């Protein structure tokens, strides 16, 4: 009960800070205040994901042993075709139906390709509110963090709204899709104060704001070196140190129910592929999965 009440208190505090940020105008005069508020939210979100006191810290994920040379997680809302896709790709039967929440646990399958075994996991379509520890969303997130690649399966007719919600939830729990770690060196020290240096011009953060964010984390001795024009969010990610940078392919299913212009637009987006499990049809992925590679 104490853990539940504490969690509810943290959620309320996060909502209060988000409301304050929403009503604060973004300008030069408020950038330091907004930066501190971002740091407060990041700290609270980390606390929210901590296991209850006295627990071993484990048991958050589904009991699925890693197998093969890589693990791929199927993430998406209910009834977008994850189970059907798993069956088509691996031959593993995962119950599929037209009603929501058909899949209630994690169903593993294996893709065999050129002597390589890839574990594909069909996860329950319960993810909205996962960052607040709701339902099985937390377990879904735990499996996603242990994966090498995320396949975000989306309904082609609802793609933009669902993609934004899913990305926001994953970002809130420290998953960074198709991004590389910020080029920032950060190391805590026992003495010596804060040493701040940069090898690139900074336009979105400055030394004063860095000091204020470090103060928010009660860090008074550290070495900081910016190697790129990073943001406040990048700096907070580096301080938190618990972010997972993972590649993601956006799979737009049910293209047989939308117009050809929409299909063409979706297929041309970065790291995207359009498919129809119903028609057993798919496109070729258009861009490299390497976020550092700008070549198509």
């Amino acid at each position: 009960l104490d853990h539940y009440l504490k969690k509810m208190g943290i959620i309320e505090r996060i909502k209060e800070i988000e409301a304050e940020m929403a009503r604060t105008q973004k300008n030069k005069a408020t950038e330091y205040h907004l930066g501190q508020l971002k740091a407060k939210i990041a700290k609270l979100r980390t606390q929210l994901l901590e296991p209850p006191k006295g627990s071993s810290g484990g048991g958050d994920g589904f009991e699925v042993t890693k197998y093969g040379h890589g693990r791929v997680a199927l993430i998406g809302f209910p009834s977008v075709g994850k189970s059907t896709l798993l069956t088509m790709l691996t031959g593993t039967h995962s119950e599929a139906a037209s009603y929501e929440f058909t899949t209630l646990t994690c169903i593993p399958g294996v893709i065999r390709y050129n002597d390589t075994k890839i574990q594909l996991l069909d996860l329950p379509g319960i993810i909205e509110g996962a960052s607040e520890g709701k339902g099985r969303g937390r377990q879904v997130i735990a499996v996603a963090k242990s994966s090498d690649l995320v396949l975000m399966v989306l309904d082609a007719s609802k793609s933009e709204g669902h993609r934004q919600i899913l990305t926001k939830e994953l970002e809130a729990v420290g998953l960074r899709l198709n991004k590389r770690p910020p080029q920032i060196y950060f190391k805590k020290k026992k003495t010596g104060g804060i040493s701040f240096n940069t090898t690139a011009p900074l336009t979105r953060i400055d030394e004063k704001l860095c000091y204020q964010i470090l103060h928010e984390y009660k860090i008074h001795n550290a070495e900081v070196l910016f190697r790129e024009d990073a943001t406040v969010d990048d700096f907070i990610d580096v301080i938190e140190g618990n972010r997972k940078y993972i590649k993601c392919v956006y799979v737009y299913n049910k293209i047989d129910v939308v117009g050809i212009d929409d299909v063409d637009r979706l297929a041309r987006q970065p790291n995207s592929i359009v498919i129809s499990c119903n028609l057993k049809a798919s496109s070729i992925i258009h861009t490299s999965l390497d976020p550092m590679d700008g070549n198509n």
Side-chain angles (χ1 to χ4, degrees):
L1 181 62
D2 288 343
H3 177 70
Y4 174 78
L5 292 173
K6 181 183 177 183
K7 189 170 78 170
M8 289 299 102
I10 293 172
I11 291 170
E12 285 302 312
R13 182 67 183 128
I14 289 173
K15 287 179 179 177
E16 287 173 6
I17 296 173
E18 286 177 337
E20 184 178 350
M21 290 178 69
R23 62 175 179 261
T24 303
Q25 289 187 335
K26 293 182 180 179
N27 55 50
K28 195 71 177 174
T30 61
E31 63 179 357
Y32 297 108
H33 180 59
L34 287 169
Q36 285 182 301
L37 292 179
K38 285 182 177 181
K40 287 180 188 291
I41 285 182
K43 285 171 60 183
L44 289 169
R45 288 202 189 281
T46 298
Q47 289 178 35
L48 198 58
L49 296 172
E50 290 173 354
K53 283 186 178 179
S55 72
S56 61
D60 278 338
F62 295 100
E63 295 299 320
V64 180
T65 305
K66 270 197 170 186
Y67 174 81
H69 301 91
R71 169 181 274 193
V72 177
L74 290 170
I75 284 182
F77 278 85
S79 298
V80 294
K82 298 189 301 299
S83 299
T84 306
L85 184 59
L86 177 82
T87 302
M88 290 177 66
L89 291 175
T90 68
T92 301
H93 178 69
S94 182
E95 187 69 32
S98 58
Y99 53 86
E100 293 192 346
F101 304 114
T102 315
T103 304
L104 298 175
T105 187
C106 180
I107 310 295
V110 178
I111 300 174
R112 288 174 172 81
Y113 180 76
N114 287 350
D115 297 324
T116 301
K117 295 174 184 176
I118 303 168
Q119 186 182 49
L120 191 62
L121 302 178
D122 179 18
L123 295 164
I126 310 166
I127 195 166
E128 194 171 3
S131 59
E132 297 178 1
K134 289 182 180 177
R136 295 199 171 187
R138 186 167 174 172
Q139 293 171 300
V140 171
I141 293 296
V143 173
K145 281 192 168 184
S146 70
S147 300
D148 303 297
L149 175 73
V150 167
L151 286 187
M152 187 184 289
V153 186
L154 302 156
D155 186 327
S157 63
K158 306 172 184 175
S159 57
E160 293 310 312
H162 281 188
R163 176 170 166 172
Q164 289 173 7
I165 293 169
L166 290 169
T167 302
K168 185 179 178 182
E169 287 291 334
L170 296 173
E171 287 267 335
V173 294
L175 272 166
R176 302 290 179 259
L177 304 180
N178 295 331
K179 293 180 181 177
R180 58 167 174 74
Q183 298 299 296
I184 303 171
Y185 174 78
F186 170 74
K187 185 178 181 180
K188 291 183 185 179
K189 298 188 298 185
K190 292 183 178 179
T191 58
I194 295 171
S195 168
F196 180 90
N197 290 288
T198 175
T199 59
L202 301 181
T203 62
R204 296 175 287 183
I205 192 171
D206 59 21
E207 186 173 353
K208 180 183 175 183
L209 183 49
C210 286
Y211 276 57
Q212 288 187 334
I213 291 170
L214 289 169
H215 181 73
E216 183 65 40
Y217 279 92
K218 295 181 172 58
I219 297 172
H220 306 292
N221 300 286
E223 192 175 342
V224 179
L225 172 62
F226 279 73
R227 296 192 178 99
E228 65 177 0
D229 186 17
T231 64
V232 173
D233 297 303
D234 292 334
F235 186 49
I236 291 171
D237 281 352
V238 170
I239 295 173
E240 286 285 341
N242 58 0
R243 306 316 192 207
K244 166 91 176 186
Y245 297 84
I246 190 167
K247 293 174 183 177
C248 176
V249 176
Y250 303 98
V251 182
Y252 295 93
N253 188 26
K254 304 184 183 181
I255 58 171
D256 50 307
V257 300
V258 297
I260 190 66
D261 290 341
D262 288 327
V263 173
D264 184 66
R265 177 180 58 82
L266 293 171
R268 292 180 185 280
Q269 292 184 150
N271 302 320
S272 300
I273 184 169
V274 294
I275 67 168
S276 171
C277 289
N278 186 36
L279 299 178
K280 297 184 179 179
S282 69
S283 71
I284 297 173
I285 191 163
H286 277 260
T287 54
S288 165
L289 288 178
D290 185 350
M292 294 297 291
D293 184 0
N295 299 322
N296 290 339

